[in-house]
Amino acid sequence: MADPRKLFIKTYGCQMNVYDSERMAEAMGGAGYVETSTPEDADMILLNTCHIREKAAEKVYSELGRFKDLKAAKPDLKIGVAGCVAQAEGEEIMRRQPLVDLVVGPQSYHRLPEMEARTSNGSKVVDTDFPEEDKFEKLKKRPQAKRGPTAFLTVQEGCDKFCAFCVVPYTRGAEVSRPVSQVLTEAHDLVERGVREITLLGQNVNAYHGAHEGGDWSLATLIRALAKIDGLDRIRFTTSHPNDMDDDLIAAHGECDKLMPYLHLPVQSGSDRVLKAMNRKHTAESYLRLIERIRAARPDILLSGDFIVGFPGETEEDFADTMALVEAVRYGQCYSFKYSARPGTPAAERPLVDADAASDRLARLQALLTRQQREIQDEMVGREVGVLFERKGRIAGQMTGKSDYLHAVHVKGDVEVGELRRVRITESGPNSLGGVLV
Ligand code: 5AD
Ligand code: SF4
């Protein structure tokens, strides 16, 4: 038998791309490929790209340029571009970078093996359709190999919210939920393979409404069903929109032990004027009331969010409202970005805020967010938390895992990867906690 061909995948962007890369690697496994971590060894290189923020396409072109020598040395090397830049740029990618053999959008990656076969005679292949068929149905059952204790599971894709700054509704398409049976089957398979924590993924995951005989299931109903799986200890989900946090999902945070006390709930801005211009369809006040209700259900929940500063039209006063909202919420962990115009989105046509003012606001916001993050981390010292151990630490004898609140935790002691243990937190560092096994 010939040696298997080797596939190198480089993944950019969000957790959904991490999941998609796994599924693409599995699909190519069926076509005789095994994964490699070095592009120099590869027979096929795939860039799974992200288009959410600035200069994404430019970065992909410069990365592709670096493969010129590899392709010259190995003319059979296949080079593919997947993900949201593939969706947004399509054939343009091959026009600008002729060494690319195939371009595949996020909804077509079940067709990847067949596309790869079509490139064998030197043809270029592009597929950025939003096909009728369900890629998840077309993908084979996931292989049964053992795997690490945590996994992502995409349950919902796309978005109908059309925030004025965001490319997702265009690159990932309309909001679609996977049927309940598909999700449960995949979750059972993952648990059989050693997974103890599943993070449910979707661009708008709390809008989940999966088909089920007798009526669609909400995310809360799905979580309660997943919680009944023996061997599955932890459930998380991301990313949510404030307007889709229904009462049942809030209640689940108080009732379901396996649902972890961590919620990523982006608000983007604390100014009602900016929120309106962003087409967010909620106010700062409605967001704060929602946080109150969530905290009433689960008082210790750790909140996380996303912020954009320098959105077109944002004034110093608007920015002060954002700072005030952050003070009011107290976030445990946040992502914050300077606005960047994404071609094709409504906000892209609007005049930009002065670049220095935007940078200055971002620095002030990040200083506040970092301070809150450190304070909340420091408050963990002395507390006992669950930790799921994921890998050996960098120091000999050290093991590293994630707490219920998603903090990285290091301990020294006798514990295996995949064990869920109680840990007493003894120290708080810049990006992680230290503790001792209880
Ligand atoms: N500019 C800056 N940040 C953006 N995000 C999405 N689009 C843009 C943009 N055009 C941020 C939002 C979103 C996160 C995933 O990326 O905060 O929640
Ligand atoms: Fe983008 Fe999220 Fe808004 Fe959807 S809800 S348009 S994914 S920022």
Side-chain angles (χ1 to χ4, degrees):
M1 219 171 85
D3 280 346
R5 290 175 295 172
K6 297 205 174 87
L7 170 66
F8 171 78
I9 306 189
K10 180 161 177 176
T11 306
Y12 301 80
C14 65
Q15 294 146 322
M16 191 172 289
N17 268 9
V18 174
Y19 176 85
D20 286 352
S21 290
E22 262 175 35
R23 300 299 309 253
M24 284 192 276
E26 289 166 5
M28 293 309 290
Y33 276 87
V34 295
E35 261 192 285
T36 172
S37 54
T38 38
E40 291 74 21
D41 292 345
D43 301 288
M44 179 173 182
I45 292 177
L46 200 55
L47 299 184
N48 191 9
T49 60
C50 169
H51 202 233
I52 197 97
R53 276 176 302 273
E54 210 161 18
K55 301 198 186 90
E58 296 314 311
K59 281 184 204 146
V60 171
Y61 287 116
S62 82
E63 181 80 36
L64 286 168
R66 268 179 260 163
F67 298 137
K68 233 181 214 134
D69 293 346
L70 287 181
K71 182 98 169 181
K74 197 194 270 184
D76 286 345
L77 173 67
K78 305 271 177 10
I79 297 185
V81 179
C84 294
V85 173
Q87 189 65 40
E89 298 272 298
E91 282 172 16
E92 176 64 16
I93 296 183
M94 281 151 181
R95 266 197 293 275
R96 275 189 60 180
Q97 184 44 277
L99 57 77
V100 173
D101 300 286
L102 67 89
V103 171
V104 58
Q107 301 313 329
S108 304
Y109 65 67
H110 55 295
R111 296 175 176 167
L112 193 58
E114 172 220 330
M115 291 173 70
E116 186 268 351
R118 275 161 51 207
T119 62
S120 60
N121 62 0
S123 307
K124 306 269 181 192
V125 187
V126 178
D127 189 337
T128 52
D129 290 351
F130 287 98
E132 276 298 307
E133 80 264 13
D134 174 357
K135 71 177 171 206
F136 296 109
E137 279 294 345
K138 297 279 167 184
L139 283 165
K140 291 195 312 203
K141 195 167 142 72
R142 305 194 69 170
Q144 291 304 302
K146 255 314 218 205
R147 47 174 300 161
T150 65
F152 295 129
L153 202 179
T154 294
V155 299
Q156 178 278 332
E157 262 189 288
C159 183
D160 297 334
K161 296 278 191 292
F162 291 93
C163 297
F165 51 81
C166 185
V167 288
V168 166
Y170 313 98
T171 57
R172 289 275 171 171
E175 207 256 279
V176 178
S177 294
R178 294 179 67 187
V180 169
S181 61
Q182 252 188 36
V183 174
L184 293 179
T185 303
E186 198 170 323
H188 277 283
D189 281 356
L190 288 169
V191 172
E192 270 167 34
R193 293 163 62 195
V195 169
R196 302 192 68 180
E197 172 181 305
I198 291 179
T199 301
L200 305 173
L201 298 181
Q203 271 90 20
N204 231 228
V205 71
N206 59 342
Y208 179 81
H209 53 97
H212 190 259
E213 58 274 20
D216 285 3
W217 279 18
S218 68
L219 186 67
T221 310
L222 180 68
I223 287 169
R224 290 195 166 99
L226 289 169
K228 294 198 181 109
I229 300 179
D230 275 342
L232 179 63
D233 297 319
R234 287 173 151 190
I235 302 165
R236 305 181 186 276
F237 61 89
T238 195
T239 285
S240 298
H241 190 285
N243 293 1
D244 293 312
M245 276 314 287
D246 64 27
D247 290 341
D248 198 22
L249 187 55
I250 294 173
H253 282 277
E255 292 161 11
C256 181
D257 291 343
K258 292 187 181 179
L259 183 56
M260 289 294 103
Y262 180 101
L263 179 64
H264 184 62
L265 196 61
V267 64
Q268 312 295 356
S269 167
S271 153
D272 289 345
R273 232 174 48 81
V274 172
L275 288 169
K276 188 145 199 268
M278 286 177 165
N279 192 33
R280 287 287 297 179
K281 301 194 174 82
H282 60 75
T283 62
E285 183 57 32
S286 70
Y287 181 82
L288 290 172
R289 277 203 308 270
L290 174 61
I291 298 291
E292 263 173 38
R293 284 162 56 218
I294 295 164
R295 283 200 167 126
R298 182 79 205 224
D300 63 336
I301 199 160
L302 189 141
L303 290 162
S304 148
D306 293 343
F307 289 90
I308 297 177
V309 301
F311 187 76
E314 184 189 71
T315 63
E316 202 38 52
E317 212 181 340
D318 294 318
F319 177 68
D321 290 343
T322 297
M323 295 290 272
L325 178 138
V326 171
E327 293 279 7
V329 174
R330 270 192 107 221
Y331 288 96
Q333 209 263 332
C334 273
Y335 303 92
S336 49
F337 314 99
K338 206 179 341 171
Y339 170 75
S340 76
R342 313 309 294 127
T345 59
E349 308 301 321
R350 303 178 197 165
L352 290 173
V353 163
D354 175 72
D356 290 339
S359 298
D360 178 62
R361 287 175 201 164
L362 184 63
R364 282 184 280 157
L365 174 62
Q366 291 186 337
L368 174 59
L369 292 170
T370 306
R371 198 190 78 215
Q372 289 190 342
Q373 180 180 330
R374 274 309 291 266
E375 281 173 10
I376 288 176
Q377 237 178 256
D378 293 349
E379 287 164 15
M380 300 303 296
V381 175
R383 284 184 58 186
E384 206 184 292
V385 294
V387 175
L388 178 60
F389 287 93
E390 294 177 14
R391 68 182 79 88
K392 288 198 171 115
R394 263 178 306 202
I395 300 167
Q398 194 187 50
M399 292 292 287
T400 300
K402 292 279 168 56
S403 78
D404 301 339
Y405 306 94
L406 215 50
H407 287 124
V409 179
H410 310 290
V411 304
K412 281 199 160 175
D414 192 15
V415 59
E416 301 284 315
V417 169
E419 272 188 75
L420 178 60
R421 295 282 293 272
R422 301 296 294 170
V423 171
R424 192 158 42 75
I425 302 300
T426 52
E427 55 187 322
S428 165
N431 292 306
S432 63
L433 300 170
V436 290
L437 295 166
V438 178

